Amino acid sequence: MALLELRGVSKLYQLGGEEIRALDDISLELNEGEFVSIIGPSGSGKTTLMHILGFLDSPTRGSVSLEGMEIGKASSRELARIRNRSIGFVFQSFNLLPKLNVVQNVELPMIYAGLGSRVRRERALKALEMVDLGNRLKNRPSQLSGGQQQRVAIARALVNNPRIILADEPTGNLDTHTGELILALFRRLAAEGRTVILVTHNPEIAAVTPRRIEIRNGKIVDHVDARLAGLHRPNPEQVPSAT
Amino acid sequence: MKTESPQTSAVESLLSELDLTDLPVGGTNLINAVAVGLKEIWAHKFRSALTMLGIVLGVSSLIAMSAMVKGMEIGQKEALLASGGLRKVRLEAQSVPVQQRHLRDFARGMTLSDATAIEAGVPDAEIVAPEMRLEDNPTLAANGKLFRTYMTLGVYPKQAAVSEHVVQHGRIFNDIDADEARAVCVIGTGIRDELFGRPEETGTEVIPIGKTMTINGQPFTIIGMFQLYEGEQDRKARLAAAAAKAAVLASGKKETTGPQRGRGRGGGSYAFWIKNNTVYMPLNTMWQRFQSSRSNAPAEPRLSTIEIKLHDFDRLNQSLVKIRNIMLVNHRGIEDFSFRTLEDWGEDIDRFVRNARLSGSLIAGISLFVGGIGIMNIMLASISERIREIGIRKAVGAGDLDIFTQILVESTVIALVGGLVGLLASRFVVKAIAWVAPTGNDPVITWTAMGVAFAFAAGVGVLAGLFPAFKAARMNVIQALRYD
Ligand SMILES: Nc1ncnc2c1ncn2[C@@H]1O[C@H](COP(=O)(O)OP(=O)(O)OP(=O)(O)O)[C@@H](O)[C@H]1O
Ligand SMILES: [Mg+2]
């Protein structure tokens, strides 16, 4: 059974009588330990897809399931628990709390996991160490550069040790060196058995991931899986599942 | 793919340690929610302070109101006790009622035989004290001064116990004084004040034992003086004035006599005033010197009152029936007497306290209600300012209940802080009221009032937070995240 499964997922928005298809009939399976990149032009629906994969948003049509459990049937409490424990989300716009400092921001998911303050502090420091931000603990997000904020967001996504890591443009604001470190971190996480999905505009980064999904206008237009001996599938509609 | 860098080794240690499964986890802890709430209040100090104002006013007015009512209640009950308490029954002589006018010639008034009959026939009567009042406010004269008083009574010595009189200086008359109808009397400090001067004026207290005073022209020797009767309130004020005066004298400055606060005679103070202006003489002296010598003198001593102290207030009604029956038999059915108890007074006090509490609570309640609306308003403003924050919290795993709790805790914390400030403010409110509108009775702040007011404030905080908390908890994650 796939870890995450999307079947015929569409997301429609009504804007002044006009219907926008942000996602159009997407079917997808993601397994444990996979390292996947999603590429596509701006406005193609990447972020929308990530929100649905991260249980933040629900599709207009189609079903999403985690380990066979359909989220349409999950209570809001179960969803909160999944977001807290199973998913680590790095937002394109970081979404840090401006009133909290770096450590407090990283501690946030652990508060809702019910961890005590000592454990929280310890783990937050470790996670920040990991993204090389151990020296800016007391800063507010507004006092950090874009790349630093991004790394705080990454630390926050990892701190509850989720099984699925969703990163929306995680290296967009980073220099080449730091970007590579973060990529190495993600690769390592995938190697440890976590499912890592990242959105990128950068073909070089996409080339690193074993599996690559390209979307355009809300549809999957290209689907490459290096593990299938470079098999190229220009029409994924016929073969929705890569493995 | 092993790129060994400090970061990746840190990843491994993190990954091994970040596992949540074996960590003891509970719900979101409340302490954290309270801390967030306090921070939020602190971040908007001015706004929070304005919001709290309603609660502060509500709590302090609730406490102040209850304090004033309590003060009055205490003052009234003091006065009630000073007048003999609830166990005292006064049996007063009165003229024959209209429907019995034809029997007027058979009426012989209240006499000592009535007292004896009651003593014998009512086991519940602890003390039966006959009383003969000198009518028409007799003139007292001594020390070159004149004074007319209302309470000049011929009594048995045991009367003192019924009316809660205590002889502080000298002595009360004895049987020999009574038998020989000696011209001796015991006076209250009010009489001394009028004829010999107040201690405040004379410097040292005059104790006129052995001095002569005339009553309606007849010379009497003062053999005793009662203690000063006063409410707790007046006592404090008097001592404070004395201390201030002593301080002025000690500093050697010329004494400044400001306008003195008049002797309060309203409300409970009247009971003390009249008690201090009492003159006691032996019943026989009263009879021999003032009643029997009159031209229309009755054949036997006529009493004005019989005061009865009962063993038990609970059996008041049964005792009253018994006394009435005895009196009717003795008076051949003529009702030339009436009862007076302090029960009505006691009931009046209770009723007043109830009413004052009710109306005061209503006002304080309205104030708390308005305060609650203010809190709700500010919480609604606060959550719409924090829509993104709520979205972020939910995105990292906050449940609806966590958000609900956080908002509810914040509104409750505002109310609790407001309540605490209100508790402190109530002291000043009470002082301010006492200063603006001085009454005979100082307000008394009770722990109960403080507890009730604080509990109400907390309740208002919870109620005011419910709707905003519900609204915040129901927000959609993505919509909240996208909000700007
Ligand atoms: N709340 C919304 N209401 C209306 N349209 C929306 C909404 N959210 C997204 N869209 C539309 O859906 C489409 C996909 O948006 P999405 O954010 O997924 O793009 P993206 O691929 O992440 O782009 P970018 O690379 O610029 O981040 C866009 O056309 C966008 O305008
Ligand atoms: Mg996007």
Side-chain angles (χ1 to χ4, degrees):
Chain A
M1 190 201 307
L3 179 63
L4 260 174
E5 188 173 355
L6 267 59
R7 271 196 200 290
V9 163
S10 297
K11 185 74 186 177
L12 312 179
Y13 291 108
Q14 300 288 344
L15 272 187
E18 203 184 335
E19 192 182 71
I20 297 173
R21 283 174 178 260
L23 291 179
D24 192 0
D25 192 24
I26 291 208
S27 295
L28 194 60
E29 272 185 19
L30 295 161
N31 291 301
E32 215 161 292
E34 273 199 292
F35 191 15
V36 186
S37 63
I38 298 175
I39 53 170
S42 181
S44 55
K46 303 183 296 295
T47 299
T48 310
L49 178 60
M50 292 292 264
H51 284 162
I52 286 174
L53 288 172
F55 298 92
L56 293 168
D57 208 353
S58 50
T60 316
R61 275 203 290 273
S63 68
V64 184
S65 45
L66 175 72
E67 288 187 309
M69 185 187 85
E70 237 192 89
I71 69 142
K73 289 176 187 143
S75 70
S76 82
R77 206 176 138 177
E78 283 166 330
L79 281 178
R81 200 179 153 84
I82 292 171
R83 283 184 213 120
N84 186 237
R85 302 291 181 81
S86 306
I87 311 276
F89 207 109
V90 183
F91 290 93
Q92 196 170 8
S93 49
F94 321 135
N95 278 335
L96 300 174
L97 280 185
K99 281 181 284 189
L100 303 184
N101 66 29
V102 167
V103 187
Q104 289 167 333
N105 262 292
V106 176
E107 281 186 32
L108 209 57
M110 295 187 282
I111 287 177
Y112 297 114
L115 298 187
S117 62
R118 267 238 312 287
V119 184
R120 290 204 307 258
R121 180 59 45 124
E122 250 170 53
R123 291 164 64 106
L125 293 182
K126 279 209 185 87
L128 283 164
E129 202 65 41
M130 219 164 63
V131 294
D132 208 10
L133 265 180
N135 53 343
R136 306 299 297 269
L137 304 177
K138 297 288 169 203
N139 285 95
R140 295 286 180 93
S142 59
Q143 298 164 323
L144 299 177
S145 73
Q148 287 168 329
Q149 290 184 46
Q150 193 142 40
R151 283 182 281 155
V152 177
I154 292 169
R156 185 181 65 184
L158 299 183
V159 82
N160 267 2
N161 193 25
R163 303 161 67 193
I164 302 165
I165 292 134
L166 299 162
D168 201 350
E169 292 275 358
T171 55
N173 290 282
L174 304 178
D175 60 85
T176 325
H177 175 67
T178 320
E180 270 166 16
L181 287 181
I182 296 295
L183 267 183
L185 175 63
F186 283 143
R187 192 183 297 135
R188 180 96 200 121
L189 289 165
E192 294 273 349
R194 279 154 197 80
T195 306
V196 180
I197 302 152
L198 49 90
V199 167
T200 181
H201 285 288
N202 189 342
E204 275 177 50
I205 292 172
V208 178
T209 61
R211 195 173 159 194
R212 193 164 65 240
I213 296 166
E214 188 179 341
I215 63 171
R216 221 175 272 263
N217 292 324
K219 285 187 197 306
I220 298 183
V221 293
D222 196 12
H223 199 152
V224 179
D225 197 331
R227 285 172 303 176
L228 295 180
L231 208 79
H232 195 229
R233 291 175 190 150
N235 192 351
E237 306 284 307
Q238 290 163 353
V239 195
S241 144
T243 43
Chain B
M1 68 164 130
K2 279 235 156 130
T3 34
E4 275 308 331
S5 72
Q7 277 77 22
T8 36
S9 62
V11 176
E12 274 180 280
S13 74
L14 180 83
L15 291 180
S16 57
E17 285 170 49
L18 282 192
D19 200 17
L20 277 178
T21 44
D22 46 286
L23 276 169
V25 290
T28 338
N29 54 47
L30 200 64
I31 299 164
N32 191 74
V34 173
V36 171
L38 283 172
K39 247 182 237 163
E40 201 57 42
I41 291 171
W42 190 244
H44 306 281
K45 287 177 269 299
F46 189 63
R47 187 169 89 174
S48 307
L50 284 182
T51 310
M52 282 171 196
L53 210 58
I55 299 293
V56 173
L57 285 179
V59 167
S60 55
S61 62
L62 191 66
I63 295 173
M65 174 279 306
S66 118
M68 286 195 303
V69 173
K70 190 78 195 167
M72 288 183 209
E73 185 187 356
I74 289 175
Q76 289 284 320
K77 291 213 162 137
E78 255 179 2
L80 178 72
L81 270 178
S83 310
L86 290 174
R87 282 159 56 206
K88 189 172 104 169
V89 177
R90 270 172 77 85
L91 191 53
E92 290 182 349
Q94 67 168 23
S95 49
V96 180
V98 185
Q99 66 273 20
Q100 293 185 328
R101 270 292 146 80
H102 56 285
L103 301 170
R104 195 167 36 194
D105 292 342
F106 300 100
R108 55 190 180 104
M110 214 148 60
T111 62
L112 283 168
S113 67
D114 292 330
T116 324
I118 292 168
E119 210 157 25
V122 185
D124 237 348
E126 184 185 339
I127 305 169
V128 179
E131 197 177 281
M132 197 184 281
R133 192 168 79 86
L134 191 50
E135 274 151 39
D136 306 327
N137 298 2
T139 306
L140 312 178
N143 198 25
K145 287 183 188 147
L146 292 178
F147 181 54
R148 297 186 74 128
T149 187
Y150 173 78
M151 291 292 262
T152 303
L153 306 170
V155 296
Y156 286 167
K158 64 184 175 185
Q159 168 72 21
V162 183
S163 292
E164 309 279 341
H165 268 300
V166 177
V167 178
Q168 193 183 20
H169 303 284
R171 61 175 180 92
I172 197 150
F173 31 82
N174 54 31
D175 289 347
I176 303 172
D177 296 319
D179 289 347
E180 296 184 2
R182 283 183 185 162
V184 292
C185 65
V186 180
I187 62 169
T189 54
I191 311 278
R192 183 272 321 271
D193 289 348
E194 297 293 342
L195 297 180
F196 299 96
R198 302 169 190 284
E200 295 91 65
E201 292 155 0
T202 52
T204 52
E205 191 184 356
V206 176
I207 301 160
I209 308 295
K211 295 245 165 63
T212 301
M213 174 178 84
T214 63
I215 301 175
N216 279 350
Q218 295 201 43
F220 273 72
T221 305
I222 301 170
I223 59 165
M225 185 167 77
F226 297 123
Q227 70 175 42
L228 172 64
Y229 307 111
E230 58 191 345
E232 190 54 28
Q233 207 42 53
D234 288 336
R235 196 178 67 84
K236 276 192 208 137
R238 184 173 55 81
L239 292 180
K245 193 169 169 182
V248 169
L249 287 177
S251 66
K253 277 188 211 139
K254 197 167 168 272
E255 193 188 338
T256 50
T257 39
Q260 265 193 322
R261 202 169 118 192
R263 279 283 214 205
R265 289 182 193 178
S269 304
Y270 180 73
F272 293 108
W273 179 82
I274 204 146
K275 199 169 168 182
N276 282 324
N277 283 289
T278 301
V279 178
Y280 269 9
M281 69 177 77
L283 189 72
N284 194 34
T285 307
M286 179 67 87
W287 160 245
Q288 300 269 336
R289 289 177 189 261
F290 293 100
Q291 222 177 53
S292 66
S293 52
R294 286 211 307 256
S295 53
N296 58 347
E300 55 177 324
R302 280 270 173 99
L303 302 177
S304 51
T305 317
I306 297 173
E307 291 207 331
I308 303 151
K309 186 149 199 164
L310 299 174
H311 279 296
D312 192 348
F313 168 71
D314 292 334
R315 288 196 296 273
L316 177 74
N317 283 328
Q318 292 99 296
S319 302
L320 286 183
V321 170
K322 256 188 204 146
I323 295 168
R324 197 179 128 85
N325 288 342
I326 291 169
M327 288 297 287
L328 283 177
V329 169
N330 257 11
H331 289 227
R332 295 174 225 171
I334 301 171
E335 260 197 284
D336 55 349
F337 58 89
S338 68
F339 287 103
R340 200 170 281 183
T341 66
L342 297 178
E343 198 191 4
D344 291 345
W345 190 5
E347 274 172 8
D348 282 349
I349 295 173
D350 289 344
R351 193 173 326 116
F352 160 77
V353 166
R354 256 199 321 276
N355 290 343
R357 282 224 181 102
L358 199 70
S359 52
S361 303
L362 208 67
I363 293 167
I366 289 170
S367 181
L368 277 174
F369 179 75
V370 172
I373 300 236
I375 292 184
M376 188 185 290
N377 194 19
I378 221 69
M379 289 318 294
L380 285 173
S382 167
I383 63 165
S384 54
E385 265 171 23
R386 289 153 68 193
I387 289 177
R388 260 183 79 83
E389 176 191 328
I390 292 164
I392 293 170
R393 286 180 185 273
K394 284 191 149 192
V396 301
D400 294 358
L401 191 64
D402 295 315
I403 302 296
F404 185 85
T405 313
Q406 184 184 333
I407 303 299
L408 202 63
V409 163
E410 275 175 39
S411 78
T412 309
V413 166
I414 290 183
L416 290 184
V417 174
L420 276 181
V421 175
L423 290 187
L424 298 177
S426 66
R427 304 199 156 271
F428 297 101
V429 172
V430 160
K431 283 220 175 79
I433 291 173
W435 185 73
V436 173
T439 57
N441 312 106
D442 251 9
V444 178
I445 296 179
T446 60
W447 286 106
T448 320
M450 288 171 75
V452 167
F454 193 69
F456 264 104
V460 164
V462 171
L463 285 180
L466 280 178
F467 175 60
F470 185 70
K471 220 180 139 183
R474 290 290 306 271
M475 277 181 194
N476 175 281
V477 191
I478 283 294
Q479 278 166 16
L481 278 174
R482 282 181 183 275
Y483 191 87
D484 39 29

